[in-house]
Amino acid sequence: KSGILSFPSSSSANSLVSICVADNPQPFAIGHVTPGTSSENVGVGTKGVAVKIVSCYGDDWWRQGKLAREESGGKEGGRGSTFGGNYEDDGYGNIGFVEGKVVLGLQRVQQEEITKQEDQWGEEEHDVKDGVDAINISSEETKSSSEANNDNNNKVDEDEEDEVDMDDLLLLSFYRSLLTITPSSLPMPISTYYSKHLLPSRPPDTTLDFKQSSYKKLGVFLLEQAGTDIIKVKPSQDGKDKVAFLSSVNKNHMALRDAKKQRRTEEGSDEKSSSSSSKKKKMAIVTLYIIPPHIVNLLQLDKDAVKATHAKSEARRGTGFLTLPECRDILNDYITVTPSTSSSSLIDEYDPECVFLNGPLCDALYKPSKKQSSSTPTSYPESTTRKDLMELWIDKMETGYAIVQMPGNVIVDMKRGKPPMVKIEVECRQNKKKFVTRVRGLEEYNINPAN
């Protein structure tokens, strides 16, 4: 509702209305009036939706019609008699209908064409003047003057290339900087925008020098961009500075949409490169388990399995450091085939999740320690679930850790106990005006802070 400049007073709910932009009377969309909408509750300062769009220029219906015209070859040539557009570009003969993406006012489009024509005429006059000057040069001075002109022309061309490059760099940094601005930060002083948004948005290893650009000053550049409706600027209170504040940013502008797509593409490539480089330096901590000797003797476990003789990593072979799957497999082998009979299983044949407990297994997992023992006798359960048994088994294991470098699964260090902590300490100095951060414990992970 807030963007509507005029609304027909005779329109009622669900009636069809046509929609056009300011300074371009040809409609570009049609829609239904929403209930409760009238000419009295639309305009600046109102909220809500006044018209529900049915079809508009550039939507799927327009694309289907464009495809049908291209296949049948039924396009009409020439320009529209009323709105100066070309029927061949699918703009319905309206010069303000641009490529099915945007609709502009006729006065703005005509002004842009006049500016382009004036620039072209200026270039032609400059060429004619140079030709007349060249005719007046005497034949004796032709050789020396032509060499001097060639040198000057080369310098001018180099300067023009520098200006074009700086203009492109400035425009690229400008589009990127607008993507970093939030609506809550507006209006923003131009000095703040320049230091916190424009300069940080330039590509790496580049420098913005306005003197090498065609604009020479930041204010001239921003005024030109404000003419394209991508931004709005405000003057200072005394009116001396015409470009004192950046008041708004049009995030729906086509240039900003293209800049956002380009940024996503660059971020995707950066993530791929960073992920490939991070793989080379990735460190991981893996929890390992050691079966206590008294449990090994009670259950008569396989010595090779307990010592991890057949581990995939050579660094763990024969050390007794087991991974979680290896530790679980040892218990599964025990309850499947017990050492005493070499054939009987502790698993209930009618309920595979139920496990019967024998004497050694009860002593290993349920027998209280000397500190926990009391005068009352301890009663052991006859059976338990496989899940509870596995949790109790892991709880009885001694723990260790390994620092693994990835990719390659290279074990850098392997010890008993818990992995060392990395401590980050922040110390304030000079009455909390300066802070010093200290990181301790990186040497345990073979990380050199200097790098």
Side-chain angles (χ1 to χ4, degrees), residues 439-449:
V439 182
R440 307 180 189 274
L442 292 178
E443 61 277 359
E444 295 291 340
Y445 298 94
N446 289 349
I447 298 176
N448 186 1

Side-chain angles (χ1 to χ4, degrees), residues 211 243 377 432:
K211 294 182 179 180
V243 189
K432 296 184 179 181

Side-chain angles (χ1 to χ4, degrees), residues 4 7-8 10-12 14-20 27 29-34 50-55:
I4 296 177
F7 193 84
S10 60
S11 298
S12 59
N14 297 324
S15 61
L16 280 174
V17 293
S18 60
I19 305 170
C20 58
I30 60 172
H32 291 288
V33 177
T34 58
V51 179
K52 185 177 180 181
I53 302 298
V54 176
S55 178

Side-chain angles (χ1 to χ4, degrees), residues 51 105 110 143 184 208 250 348 391:
V51 179
Q110 292 171 358
K143 184 176 180 180
S184 60
L208 289 179
N250 182 11
D348 189 351
E391 292 178 354

Side-chain angles (χ1 to χ4, degrees), residues 58-330:
D59 61 4
D60 292 339
W61 286 356
W62 175 84
R63 295 189 184 93
Q64 292 177 4
K66 178 181 178 182
L67 181 61
R69 289 191 294 273
E70 291 177 352
E71 292 177 351
S72 62
K75 291 184 178 180
E76 300 180 9
R79 289 187 172 269
S81 58
T82 305
F83 302 106
N86 196 331
Y87 285 102
E88 294 184 355
D89 59 5
D90 293 291
Y92 303 118
N94 192 308
I95 196 174
F97 286 46
V98 183
E99 298 179 355
K101 298 179 179 179
V102 66
V103 179
L104 304 175
L106 296 179
Q107 184 177 358
R108 173 181 169 184
V109 178
Q110 292 171 358
Q111 183 63 36
E112 290 179 355
E113 288 192 350
I114 292 173
T115 303
K116 292 180 181 178
Q117 188 65 34
E118 290 177 350
D119 294 340
Q120 184 177 359
W121 290 342
E123 292 177 358
E124 292 177 356
E125 292 177 358
H126 180 71
D127 294 338
V128 171
K129 184 177 179 181
D130 290 343
V132 173
D133 294 339
I135 294 174
N136 294 330
I137 298 175
S138 63
S139 59
E140 294 178 357
E141 299 175 350
T142 301
K143 184 176 180 180
S144 60
S145 63
S146 61
E147 292 177 354
N149 287 335
N150 289 334
D151 294 339
N152 292 332
N153 289 334
N154 291 334
K155 292 180 180 179
V156 172
D157 293 339
E158 291 177 358
D159 294 339
E160 289 179 354
E161 289 179 358
D162 292 340
E163 289 182 358
V164 171
D165 293 341
M166 187 55 63
D167 289 350
D168 293 342
L169 178 62
L170 178 59
L171 197 60
L172 175 63
S173 304
F174 171 71
Y175 290 150
R176 290 183 175 181
S177 65
L178 296 184
L179 297 176
T180 63
I181 297 177
T182 58
S184 60
S185 62
L186 297 176
M188 178 188 300
I190 296 300
S191 58
T192 303
Y193 163 72
Y194 176 75
S195 60
K196 294 187 177 181
H197 295 276
L198 184 59
L199 287 181
S201 298
R202 66 186 188 275
D205 302 326
T206 58
T207 303
L208 289 179
D209 189 354
F210 283 93
K211 294 182 179 180
Q212 294 183 4
S213 67
S214 61
Y215 303 98
K216 305 304 180 184
K217 292 184 179 180
L218 176 61
V220 177
F221 172 75
L222 293 179
L223 280 176
E224 180 174 314
Q225 298 304 318
T228 64
D229 294 335
I230 192 172
I231 60 171
K232 290 184 180 180
V233 294
K234 284 185 177 181
S236 58
Q237 293 182 353
D238 55 8
K240 295 181 179 180
D241 189 359
K242 295 182 179 180
V243 189
F245 296 93
L246 180 64
S247 59
S248 66
V249 178
N250 182 11
K251 291 297 182 70
N252 294 324
H253 198 277
M254 292 301 300
L256 282 189
R257 291 184 180 181
D258 295 339
K260 187 179 293 185
K261 292 179 181 179
Q262 182 180 2
R263 186 181 66 176
R264 290 175 180 174
T265 304
E266 293 176 355
E267 289 177 353
S269 59
D270 292 341
E271 287 179 0
K272 291 181 180 179
S273 59
S274 62
S275 62
S276 60
S277 60
S278 63
K279 287 181 180 178
K280 299 179 181 179
K281 301 179 181 179
K282 186 175 181 179
M283 306 290 287
I285 298 177
V286 179
T287 303
L288 300 177
Y289 300 91
I290 304 100
I291 302 179
H294 71 279
I295 294 181
V296 176
N297 296 330
L298 280 173
L299 304 181
Q300 301 179 14
L301 301 177
D302 185 6
K303 302 294 184 181
D304 292 336
V306 171
K307 292 183 180 180
T309 305
H310 305 291
K312 295 181 179 179
S313 175
E314 293 186 6
R316 289 196 300 110
R317 293 175 184 173
T319 60
F321 286 94
L322 303 171
T323 62
L324 183 60
E326 291 173 346
C327 190
R328 288 174 175 173
D329 290 340
I330 292 177

